[in-house]
Amino acid sequence: QAVIRQALEDAGVKPEQVDYIEAHGTGTALGDPIEMEGLQAVYGKPRADGSPCAIGSIKSNLGHAEAAAGIAGLIKAVLALKHREIPPHLHLRELNPRIDLEGTPFVIPTKLRAWPEREQSRFAAVSAFGLSGTNAHVVLEEAPLEEAPLEKAGPQAEASADTGRVYLLPLSARSPESLDRKSVV
């Protein structure tokens, strides 16, 4: 709970502004209820406008993914914000009997849903836990809409269009020597 509260404070976001939580969601009989208790303590008050807060977990899509589970959940939440859709939580047949969502804004979507417009930005949160005992919670805000690209006037338009943007292209390789190679096998 302290990690969640600190993340919200650092982001300057109130719990009721978060519409989607990507939970760690181990799928275990005891782990999920403990995680939900923490989420309910911070995010679980009913909202004045009656809006829901959807909860999902990437593990229902691709399994645990072990050390990559946290980053996979982060990617899922970023894509949900980008596409303005709340992804379904797959394979849910019945809720763990130790989890009670009654009186909370929480819903577990089982179908893809449009992410409703709000007056302010959309926010998502991601929880992740490491085997070492590390707990992380991050709050994400949707990016501003990109401007529509200019209509191309012909083949020269593409070559002369200079956006002035700088892009980072991360590269990795097994060794510095292989990174310096000019060709790809």
Side-chain angles (χ1 to χ4, degrees):
Q1 293 174 33
V3 169
I4 296 168
R5 285 190 176 99
Q6 187 64 56
L8 287 164
E9 183 181 321
D10 289 348
V13 174
K14 296 178 180 142
E16 61 271 14
Q17 291 178 272
V18 175
D19 295 317
Y20 177 69
I21 299 172
E22 177 64 23
H24 184 73
T26 62
T28 63
L30 192 55
D32 287 348
I34 291 170
E35 180 179 11
M36 285 302 297
E37 285 176 19
L39 292 171
Q40 286 177 343
V42 180
Y43 292 107
K45 293 183 179 130
R47 296 161 180 218
D49 64 0
S51 63
C53 179
I55 295 182
S57 173
I58 189 72
K59 290 172 187 72
S60 75
N61 299 87
L62 54 83
H64 193 291
E66 298 188 14
I71 195 66
L74 178 68
I75 292 168
K76 180 182 168 189
V78 167
L79 288 171
L81 284 165
K82 177 182 178 179
H83 295 289
R84 298 176 171 203
E85 294 180 317
I86 300 204
H89 187 78
L90 304 179
H91 314 296
L92 177 65
R93 291 186 189 88
E94 70 180 71
L95 190 59
N96 182 321
R98 293 184 173 133
I99 296 175
D100 182 12
L101 301 180
E102 191 70 34
T104 73
F106 296 140
V107 295
I108 300 174
T110 55
K111 295 185 179 184
L112 183 67
R113 311 175 2 169
W115 195 323
E117 286 282 334
R118 300 186 117 212
E119 287 185 26
Q120 76 276 355
S121 296
R122 291 173 180 90
F123 291 95
V126 180
S127 285
F129 312 126
L131 187 59
S132 66
T134 302
N135 294 341
H137 193 81
V138 64
V139 177
L140 308 169
E141 180 178 7
E142 71 178 326
L145 286 175
E146 291 184 29
E147 293 182 24
L150 298 173
E151 292 293 323
K152 292 183 181 178
Q156 294 82 8
E158 184 173 290
S160 65
D162 181 10
T163 64
R165 293 182 182 170
V166 176
Y167 295 93
L168 175 65
L169 176 62
L171 302 173
S172 68
R174 291 180 186 248
S175 69
E177 293 78 27
S178 61
L179 187 61
D180 286 339
R181 288 181 45 194
K182 303 283 188 245
S183 63
V184 177
V185 179

